[in-house]
Amino acid sequence: MSLSRRILDILIVSLFWGSLCSDICFGVESDIYCLRRIKASLEDPFGYLNSSWNFNNNTEGFICRFTGIECWHPDESKVLNIHLRDMGLKGPFPMGIENCTSLTGLDLSSNKLYGTIPSNISDVVHFVTSLDLSSNNFSGTIPANLSNCSYLNDLLLDHNRLSGQIPPELGLLARIKKFSVSNNLLIGPVPNFGNKDIKADSYANNPGLCGGPLEPCQSHTITG
Ligand SMILES: *[C@@H]1O[C@H](CO)[C@@H](O)[C@H](O)[C@H]1NC(C)=O
Ligand SMILES: *[C@@H]1O[C@H](CO)[C@@H](O)[C@H](O)[C@H]1NC(C)=O
Ligand SMILES: *[C@@H]1O[C@H](CO)[C@@H](O)[C@H](O)[C@H]1NC(C)=O
Ligand SMILES: *[C@@H]1O[C@H](CO)[C@@H](O)[C@H](O)[C@H]1NC(C)=O
Ligand SMILES: *[C@@H]1O[C@H](CO)[C@@H](O)[C@H](O)[C@H]1NC(C)=O
Ligand SMILES: *[C@@H]1O[C@H](CO)[C@@H](O)[C@H](O)[C@H]1NC(C)=O
Ligand SMILES: *[C@@H]1O[C@H](CO)[C@@H](O)[C@H](O)[C@H]1NC(C)=O
């Protein structure tokens, strides 16, 4: 009798956890889906993701042992940071990142990513304190929507082919400490970061930036 009672208890407990998980484990499922989408959307010529990102081994927190993945807790598949620097990865910005909903840091630097930075970037990486897209092949304009990534401390977009003007709204990033857009194709006034110490180096090697730590901007009206 007592044995079947125990089995019944275990059954009840596992049913309880099963239904609980269907609620709280949703975020975790989303993070696994995030990494599946990232892997599927990028060319990986050196096989870094192919050899490490194995979705068949479904042990608890298995994605936390993937190359470049750091979780909030090693046994819980909730992604804290993604570091995929210098892996030869090729493709457009991996939109799957929108499903890693607790991400605080993203480093995709020194790869071969191309196309535009998503215009809804703040919906994709809303909580990041660090965003490093430097040394890729991103083109188009810098989205003003980055100004809604209000936790950003570090924003590195240098060594790409970004063009047009830098959105003045970026000056609203209250926590910014490191900012670089050097080595792009940018023109026009740099954002006003108030009393933050953003140096001329951050803007070097662009065809026409002015203001802030650089030369004052010329007036557009031609007089005389
Ligand atoms: C992934 O993110 C998109 C955009 O936020 C959302 O519509 C979709 O439901 C998410 N999918 C999963 C499985 O979380
Ligand atoms: C991916 O890895 C498997 C073995 O883990 C290997 O057989 C396959 O060739 C690899 N594919 C690529 C594109 O590197
Ligand atoms: C699954 O992952 C765990 C933890 O990384 C590891 O110990 C185990 O050997 C893996 N199993 C298989 C079949 O790869
Ligand atoms: C920019 O960000 C805000 C807030 O994060 C969002 O509501 C808005 O839709 C975004 N704009 C675009 C163009 O996607
Ligand atoms: C961002 O915009 C893309 C289309 O450009 C869309 O597919 C995606 O669902 C949007 N993501 C979020 C989180 O709004
Ligand atoms: C960057 O993109 C341009 C044009 O799309 C292409 O000609 C160039 O080879 C790319 N550079 C790299 C390093 O992928
Ligand atoms: C996004 O940022 C703009 C300023 O760039 C601001 O006016 C707007 O209220 C912000 N939206 C949200 C939802 O925070």
Side-chain angles (χ1 to χ4, degrees), residues 31 34-35 68-73 78-83 97-108 121-122 124-132 149-156 175:
D31 286 43
C34 161
L35 300 190
I69 300 304
E70 198 185 329
C71 292
W72 284 85
H73 188 279
K78 198 137 211 41
V79 179
L80 175 69
N81 285 303
I82 299 181
H83 299 284
I97 286 169
E98 69 186 2
N99 294 103
C100 283
T101 50
S102 311
L103 197 66
T104 67
L106 178 62
D107 181 357
L108 299 175
I121 185 75
S122 90
V124 177
V125 291
H126 192 68
F127 298 107
V128 289
T129 61
S130 176
L131 179 62
D132 188 350
C149 295
S150 44
Y151 302 96
L152 276 177
N153 284 248
D154 300 346
L155 176 57
L156 304 175
R175 302 183 196 208

Side-chain angles (χ1 to χ4, degrees), residues 28-202:
V28 173
E29 284 305 315
S30 166
D31 286 43
I32 296 168
Y33 179 61
C34 161
L35 300 190
R36 277 183 190 278
R37 276 183 71 191
I38 294 172
K39 182 179 175 181
S41 73
L42 294 175
E43 276 179 59
D44 174 27
F46 303 110
Y48 287 106
L49 305 185
N50 184 49
S51 61
S52 159
W53 290 26
N54 173 11
F55 293 93
N56 299 325
N57 183 353
N58 235 312
T59 54
E60 191 56 41
F62 71 108
I63 62 171
C64 307
R65 289 173 283 274
F66 286 6
T67 296
I69 300 304
E70 198 185 329
C71 292
W72 284 85
H73 188 279
D75 298 325
E76 192 195 343
S77 298
K78 198 137 211 41
V79 179
L80 175 69
N81 285 303
I82 299 181
H83 299 284
L84 301 177
R85 181 186 167 77
D86 199 12
M87 293 186 173
L89 302 173
K90 196 170 178 188
F93 182 93
M95 283 302 297
I97 286 169
E98 69 186 2
N99 294 103
C100 283
T101 50
S102 311
L103 197 66
T104 67
L106 178 62
D107 181 357
L108 299 175
S109 64
S110 301
N111 284 295
K112 293 188 167 160
L113 305 180
Y114 55 81
T116 56
I117 300 172
S119 61
N120 57 353
I121 185 75
S122 90
D123 294 326
V124 177
V125 291
H126 192 68
F127 298 107
V128 289
T129 61
S130 176
L131 179 62
D132 188 350
L133 303 180
S134 65
S135 299
N136 278 289
N137 209 1
F138 286 113
S139 57
T141 56
I142 299 174
N145 204 259
L146 274 169
S147 73
N148 294 104
C149 295
S150 44
Y151 302 96
L152 276 177
N153 284 248
D154 300 346
L155 176 57
L156 304 175
L157 304 175
D158 54 279
H159 294 88
N160 280 290
R161 294 187 304 121
L162 299 165
S163 58
Q165 302 207 358
I166 307 173
E169 294 89 340
L170 296 193
L172 299 170
L173 288 168
R175 302 183 196 208
I176 206 81
K177 293 195 178 70
K178 262 164 84 179
F179 177 78
S180 183
V181 293
S182 67
N183 294 279
N184 278 291
L185 304 169
L186 299 163
I187 55 167
V190 304
N192 178 1
F193 287 106
N195 56 9
K196 302 229 174 48
D197 191 24
I198 307 296
K199 299 217 160 60
D201 283 0
S202 295

